[in-house]
Amino acid sequence: MARSPLKNLDVLFNPRSIALIGASNNPFKWGFIIPTNILTGQYSGKLFLVNPYEKKVLNREVYPSVNAISEDIDVAVVVTPSSTVASVTEECARKGVKAEIVITAGFGETGAEGAKLEKEVVSIASRAGIALVGPNTMGVYSSEVSLYALMPPVRPKPGAVALVSQSGNLGTQLLDMGEQVGLGFTKFASSGNEAAIRTEDYIEYYGKDPDTRVIIAYIEGLKGTDGGTRFMEVAREITKKKPIIVFKAGRSEAGAKAAMSHSGAIAGSRQIYEDAFRQLGIIQASTIEQLLDLAKAFEGSPLPKGKRVGILTWGGGYGVVTADACEEAGLEVARLSPALISELDKVLPPYWSKGNPVDLVGTLDGKAHLKCLNLLAGSDDVDATIVLGLVAGASRFVEIMITSPGLPDIKGASAFGKMFEKGDEDIINEISRLVVLYDKPVVTVTLTSVKSEVNEAMMRKKNILAYSTPERAAKALSKLYEYQRYLYNAQGNKGRPILSEPPHKTQNAAETKTRSKSQ
Amino acid sequence: MARSPLKNLDVLFNPRSIALIGASNNPFKWGFIIPTNILTGQYSGKLFLVNPYEKKVLNREVYPSVNAISEDIDVAVVVTPSSTVASVTEECARKGVKAEIVITAGFGETGAEGAKLEKEVVSIASRAGIALVGPNTMGVYSSEVSLYALMPPVRPKPGAVALVSQSGNLGTQLLDMGEQVGLGFTKFASSGNEAAIRTEDYIEYYGKDPDTRVIIAYIEGLKGTDGGTRFMEVAREITKKKPIIVFKAGRSEAGAKAAMSHSGAIAGSRQIYEDAFRQLGIIQASTIEQLLDLAKAFEGSPLPKGKRVGILTWGGGYGVVTADACEEAGLEVARLSPALISELDKVLPPYWSKGNPVDLVGTLDGKAHLKCLNLLAGSDDVDATIVLGLVAGASRFVEIMITSPGLPDIKGASAFGKMFEKGDEDIINEISRLVVLYDKPVVTVTLTSVKSEVNEAMMRKKNILAYSTPERAAKALSKLYEYQRYLYNAQGNKGRPILSEPPHKTQNAAETKTRSKSQ
């Protein structure tokens, strides 16, 4: 009913001008914090501040009303009290504002009176064709125009993942955590009360957005009165082209009760949701952490054509853990052919394991590592490879060797460190090359706590998929496989998303991420 | 049979002098790397280097044999080729060495010939009363004498956790990851082939070590010929006094096969192990990450007397996720009494959730946070509290406000940041006080990616338990509860470990950790 057309969502995420209605000089008010976020975030359009009772906020001119601004306004961000939002929306309608982000709470989520107020606002916006975000939203982020119209001061990096969240705090938290795991975002919307624009509308828009390769969502319950029909229609179309990864909250009885109290969502039966999601080809994450782990996997990796995993490990124990993790995630530890084993025999010491996991038994020879990686990743015996401990071991050694007291001669030590660093670079380049060459996933597990800036930057640039533990790597791989099966069975298109080329195809993820829409 | 008496394990972990046999000037050899680790780790005893073919290594005098050293040698670290280890051990026996760490591989793990060699070495060591670590070990760490006799350059911090691992790479990796999560270690042994000293021997020793409050172990399979009898005897005694947390690898068919190939361990039936561990009161971790999460929980927190959890959240979505996570972990989302709700009513805005999770609905008032925390943590309605998003939100805001370009006036912003920082400190102090006062766990989830050095240091000092996600917090809490149930049912001692006082009792963890053995 009050659903906004997609073109207005395009304006919402790409506004040339924004009016912040309710600007304040009080640093404890959102009228101060949100414009600060927008300004420090270096929004590429124009920001106008509105408040009839202020002259200057953040050293900028303040307009008494949105209509007092001479230029056109694409988006209004509203933080005024709930009782004023209807009249503010009427002003926005007169001004020709295309989209409105209503931060203000105190609507449908608070009871009957708030619901009445909400209905009024929706009706005004709907008549004027204004795309209404919220109310009770934490805001919107868009990388294309560097827009951080958000309550919390988070700074997601640009990327290829779009997020919609029925929880503002969880959504902005995901943006923040994403930065830690090297995940960049195209767009984010905190959907708030979803009085007008709902989760499925954002997903539909993300589905058509050429910059977005992966869609992720935090859902407590579907809000429409249509029993989820439209959500299902939208999702069914998009999962043929792009992965949708969902974290469903309110799974338990206590969680469902909390969801009802939080967002008014009817969490619904866990089983019904899980079955529906599976049939729609939606990938389901079971923890917050996994939602990001999977986004990372789908953003940068090709899909495995089968479930046979080759494991290359620098240590036996981690090989065992990885074998367990693969099997427990529904993958297979690949059986290596005699031909492959005899090839590996030529490279490894005679006492190597002669099977999968391929244990490098502590050999320090970088050439042997590369050779084994090539043999394994290139073999028809495996559909994907997990590489343990070969990447990112260097800087720790160098750090300790160089910075620790008590060592009289660091000459040999730093030579050793350099050798290791060179090894990291070689392995990263080789993994990147092999992923393109064989179009199969190679997932790395970095067995180190050290954040080597150089390595991380290099890995991101080369789009190397890395996790801190084998369990997380195996789980991510299993979901890539699950999606490939879905595409294969449902679409018969041999397991490839057809809309956009993943970055491993272009050999340069950074280039892909910043390409203009006109391409 | 060839088991070493505990007193020699005491020497192993507290040697006054060490001889590194097989010292080398080649930085790619363990004979260079291990002494470098020992020296840069600032071992408090004396290190002597041995190699008949070298005069100087690392600018230090090299002795032609261990017998050429005039002083007593407590521990020998052996890296010479496997064929020489028997004669080296004979020399060590003549010298009166108390313990020997045989890094060298190529013994039982490689086949019949290696097994014969291993048996010979064990027999020599056994006759001489030498405690034999390995062979095929990655070494030993001991905080008391700052000994890092390890192959990889990892630097665990001192703490209260002792680790034994049947995988050297996984064990050292755990030490390294531990540093990230603020976990300190008393002792570590990579048990290698366990030709003489086995997992249960280390555990027995850790059980008697006054500095060790929590024991963790990576186990692929028990090595003794006694079908695990001694392990069970040892574990049954210790779990009455200290928690033992085990990660069992080789659970799947593929994992068991890999374990056999890696350490020669018979991984055994998953069910049999799990049942046995449960009966012994051993806490089982299902992932590597969880092993560390649990160590952290048991190291610093009191045990909950029941499973009713109070959830205090700064955002609704995280409350829902936490409610799900608690229920899925076997905990209960506490039902709040009308009395408690009416107390909370006095502090929170009228539209708060009026139930558990207690949603602070975005209020920025630090006093309200403290008051709600007090009411919840102190209430008889809850056995433990999870606090979401109240700690560590400050520095991010300050960082962005202060360091970002585009903001003309940062005065108000930095005031806001300071207010937040003060709030962090207040909350941390209050949590610390409440944990002592009520003797109940308070677990925090830091909803931020920022590593605020100040906050982290403060939280460690105050022994605040913190996780990055609600799922990890709930899982840790559920295991604390499981152990409390075990103690209560098995021992009837009201769920308290009886050997050592946890740090929340002393109000100063740092003091506890560095206290001398004589206390």
Side-chain angles (χ1 to χ4, degrees), chain A residues 25 27-30 32-33 35-37 39-42 58-60 105 109-110 138 151-156 167 169-170 173 176-177 179-180 218 220 247-262 270 286-289 313-321 323-325 327-328 333 335 351-354 356-357 359 362 364 393 396-397 400-401 404-409 411-413 415-416 419 446-451 468-472, chain B residues 25 27-30 32-33 35-37 39-42 58-60 105 109-110 138 151-156 167 169-170 173 176-177 179-180 218 220 247-262 270 286-289 313-321 323-325 327-328 333 335 351-354 356-357 359 362 364 393 396-397 400-401 404-409 411-413 415-416 419 446-451 468-472:
Chain A
N25 276 309
F28 296 88
K29 289 203 158 186
W30 300 117
F32 177 89
I33 297 168
T36 299
N37 272 338
L39 289 171
T40 57
Q42 301 190 275
L58 290 162
N59 271 359
R60 300 166 77 92
E109 82 280 9
T110 58
M138 281 205 183
M151 286 165 74
V154 291
R155 283 289 175 277
S167 160
N169 88 300
L170 208 113
Q173 188 54 27
D176 206 27
M177 292 165 82
E179 227 199 292
Q180 280 186 93
Y218 170 90
E220 292 187 357
F247 178 91
K248 171 69 174 72
R251 298 186 298 254
S252 68
E253 203 184 314
K257 224 178 105 196
M260 173 58 100
S261 159
H262 167 232
R270 175 181 185 153
S286 54
T287 67
I288 293 298
E289 220 161 44
T313 179
W314 205 73
Y318 252 125
V320 180
V321 174
D324 279 342
E327 209 163 292
E328 286 169 10
V333 176
R335 190 177 293 269
Y351 50 89
W352 81 283
S353 53
K354 309 246 186 331
N356 189 17
D359 188 347
L364 291 171
R396 183 65 166 177
F397 202 95
I400 288 173
M401 289 301 203
S404 295
L407 183 66
D409 166 25
K411 229 175 51 175
F416 187 86
M419 185 277 298
T446 52
L447 307 186
T448 174
S449 69
V450 178
K451 296 240 169 207
S468 60
T469 70
E471 291 98 337
R472 290 167 75 167
Chain B
N25 275 309
F28 297 87
K29 290 203 159 186
W30 300 117
F32 177 89
I33 296 166
T36 298
N37 272 337
L39 289 171
T40 57
Q42 302 189 275
L58 290 162
N59 272 0
R60 300 168 77 92
E109 82 281 9
T110 58
M138 280 204 184
M151 286 165 74
V154 290
R155 283 289 175 277
S167 160
N169 87 300
L170 208 112
Q173 187 56 25
D176 206 27
M177 292 165 82
E179 227 199 294
Q180 279 187 93
Y218 169 91
E220 293 188 356
F247 178 91
K248 170 70 175 69
R251 297 185 299 253
S252 67
E253 203 183 315
K257 224 178 105 195
M260 173 57 102
S261 160
H262 167 232
R270 175 178 186 156
S286 55
T287 66
I288 293 298
E289 220 161 44
T313 179
W314 206 74
Y318 253 126
V320 180
V321 174
D324 279 340
E327 208 164 292
E328 286 170 9
V333 176
R335 190 177 293 269
Y351 52 86
W352 80 281
S353 55
K354 309 247 188 328
N356 190 17
D359 189 347
L364 291 172
R396 183 65 164 176
F397 202 95
I400 289 173
M401 291 300 201
S404 294
L407 182 66
D409 166 25
K411 230 176 50 179
F416 187 87
M419 184 276 300
T446 53
L447 306 187
T448 174
S449 69
V450 178
K451 297 240 168 205
S468 58
T469 69
E471 291 99 335
R472 289 167 76 167

Side-chain angles (χ1 to χ4, degrees), chain B residues 43 47 83 133 184 215 227 230 352 397 422 459 471 496:
Chain B
Y43 167 51
L47 175 68
S83 57
V133 180
I215 299 167
R230 203 175 107 74
W352 80 281
F397 202 95
K422 176 66 172 58
M459 287 171 83
E471 291 99 335
R496 278 180 221 284

Side-chain angles (χ1 to χ4, degrees), chain A residues 178 180-183 289 292-301 385-392 428 431 435 441-448 450-451 455-460 462-474 476 480:
Chain A
Q180 280 186 93
V181 297
L183 198 67
E289 220 161 44
L292 294 173
D293 280 357
L294 298 182
K296 210 165 74 164
F298 280 92
E299 194 219 3
S301 177
T385 308
I386 296 179
V387 176
L388 300 144
L390 289 188
V391 176
I428 289 171
I431 290 173
V435 170
V442 176
V443 188
T444 65
V445 179
T446 52
L447 307 186
T448 174
V450 178
K451 296 240 169 207
N455 281 339
E456 278 207 357
M458 206 193 302
M459 286 172 84
R460 282 184 201 188
K462 293 277 176 179
N463 231 77
I464 303 285
L465 195 52
Y467 295 99
S468 60
T469 70
E471 291 98 337
R472 290 167 75 167
L480 289 176

Side-chain angles (χ1 to χ4, degrees), chain B residues 235-241 279-281 483-498:
Chain B
R236 188 176 287 114
E237 274 315 299
I238 292 173
T239 55
K240 288 176 200 165
K241 302 176 285 186
Q279 281 166 28
L280 294 166
Y483 185 53
Q484 188 275 342
R485 290 311 298 162
Y486 171 78
L487 290 179
Y488 189 84
N489 289 332
Q491 316 302 336
N493 71 352
K494 312 229 165 175
R496 278 180 221 284
I498 52 180

Side-chain angles (χ1 to χ4, degrees), chain B residues 193-240:
Chain B
N193 288 2
E194 300 196 357
I197 312 177
R198 299 204 300 255
T199 294
E200 55 266 36
D201 301 312
Y202 296 104
I203 290 179
E204 185 179 30
Y205 178 73
Y206 296 158
K208 294 188 175 149
D209 175 31
D211 289 342
T212 297
R213 277 201 317 276
V214 179
I215 299 167
I216 68 176
Y218 169 91
I219 294 176
E220 293 188 356
L222 298 175
K223 297 283 181 61
T225 50
D226 61 352
T229 311
R230 203 175 107 74
F231 175 89
M232 288 194 282
E233 280 168 16
V234 166
R236 188 176 287 114
E237 274 315 299
I238 292 173
T239 55
K240 288 176 200 165

Side-chain angles (χ1 to χ4, degrees), chain B residues 361-379:
Chain B
V361 282
T363 172
L364 291 172
D365 173 8
K367 286 208 179 62
H369 300 169
L370 292 177
K371 185 75 188 155
C372 291
L373 174 62
N374 259 281
L375 287 169
L376 203 57
S379 165

